[in-house]
């Protein structure tokens, strides 16, 4: 069964950088689009970014565009989120999730990691 | 960006109640809408995909309907493990956007 495990969260000062990782312990990582989501403390869910199976396309939320970069290494079955110019409002639990395709244009985010907390504070 | 609204924002219910949550998109999204359940401190879990398709392993008391701009999640008979927050999310258009959530708690 697929299992996604995030790491790399922690405390960082405003303006700083952090790189999150998401490791897939299953065997089908390269066959799926992968996503990052986040959830600020006590708030709702926000989609952050996603990346195509082969890494050739990436899409971002306006709130992170130009500051965050999503990437993947299919050989290592790993997803990454490089976060630069961090702001207090980036404080959140960050989740990675797989986008599963059922066919006929139907999708879901079916497997999620447990999340990693990023705190941006001086 | 497509704006998603949900109603109600919270509701109090009892075990056995029928619960209905609605989600509205600011523009048509065909049936590109999912419903997710989240419990405190846990990752979201998919219940319904493509508006009306029940995810494997999810109890049949959950159902979804709708297309275009208006969608509904129904729990036919609320169980103790269903007390949680529910989110709709559209993946028709980038950026993907969530509704603000509906918290279901004990009456």
């Amino acid at each position: 069964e697929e299992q996604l495990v995030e790491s790399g969260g922690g405390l960082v000062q405003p303006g700083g950088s952090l790189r999150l990782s998401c490791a897939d312990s299953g065997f089908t990582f390269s066959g799926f689009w992968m996503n990052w989501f986040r959830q600020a403390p006590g708030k709702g869910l926000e989609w952050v970014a996603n990346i195509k199976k082969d890494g050739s396309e990436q899409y971002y939320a306006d709130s992170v565009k130009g500051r965050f970069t999503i990437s993947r290494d299919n050989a290592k079955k790993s997803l990454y989120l490089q976060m630069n110019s961090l702001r207090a409002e980036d404080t959140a639990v960050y989740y990675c999730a797989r986008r599963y395709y059922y066919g006929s244009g139907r999708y879901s985010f079916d497997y999620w990691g447990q999340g990693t907390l990023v705190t941006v504070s001086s | 960006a497509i704006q998603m609204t949900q109603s109600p924002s919270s509701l109090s219910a009892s075990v056995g109640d029928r619960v209905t949550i609605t989600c509205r998109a600011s523009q048509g999204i065909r049936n590109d809408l999912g419903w997710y359940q989240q419990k405190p401190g846990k990752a979201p879990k998919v219940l319904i995909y493509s508006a009306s398709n029940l995810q494997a392993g999810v109890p049949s008391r959950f159902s979804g309907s709708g297309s275009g701009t208006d969608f509904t999640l129904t729990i036919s008979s609320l169980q103790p493990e269903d007390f949680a927050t529910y989110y709709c999310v559209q993946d028709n258009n980038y950026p993907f956007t969530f509704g603000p959530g509906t918290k279901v708690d004990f009456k």
Side-chain angles (χ1 to χ4, degrees), chain B residues 1-18:
Chain B
I2 297 174
Q3 306 300 316
M4 306 298 293
T5 57
Q6 278 182 243
S7 61
S9 57
S10 65
L11 67 91
S12 296
S14 301
V15 173
D17 284 354
R18 182 181 182 87

Side-chain angles (χ1 to χ4, degrees), chain A residues 39 50 99 102 106 109 113, chain B residues 36 38 43 50 55 91 94:
Chain A
Q39 187 168 36
N50 75 359
R99 192 179 190 206
Y102 299 86
R106 299 172 300 164
F109 306 107
Chain B
Y36 292 75
Q38 189 181 32
S50 295
Q55 174 71 357
D91 60 351
Y94 287 111

Side-chain angles (χ1 to χ4, degrees), chain A residues 4-26:
Chain A
L4 299 170
V5 179
E6 301 97 338
S7 59
L11 175 64
V12 60
Q13 292 188 337
S17 298
L18 210 56
R19 189 195 196 207
L20 304 184
S21 298
C22 168
D24 177 16
S25 64

Side-chain angles (χ1 to χ4, degrees), chain A residues 16-74:
Chain A
S17 298
L18 210 56
R19 189 195 196 207
L20 304 184
S21 298
C22 168
D24 177 16
S25 64
F27 56 88
T28 56
F29 181 79
S30 61
F32 300 94
W33 285 72
M34 294 297 296
N35 296 262
W36 285 102
F37 296 86
R38 68 183 181 183
Q39 187 168 36
K43 303 297 184 183
L45 294 163
E46 180 185 16
W47 174 81
V48 172
N50 75 359
I51 187 167
K52 197 175 180 179
K53 303 174 196 181
D54 61 0
S56 61
E57 293 180 32
Q58 306 89 32
Y59 298 89
Y60 297 92
D62 289 345
S63 57
V64 307
K65 201 173 293 182
R67 300 187 299 123
F68 289 13
T69 302
I70 188 172
S71 62
R72 66 190 297 162
D73 184 334
N74 286 341

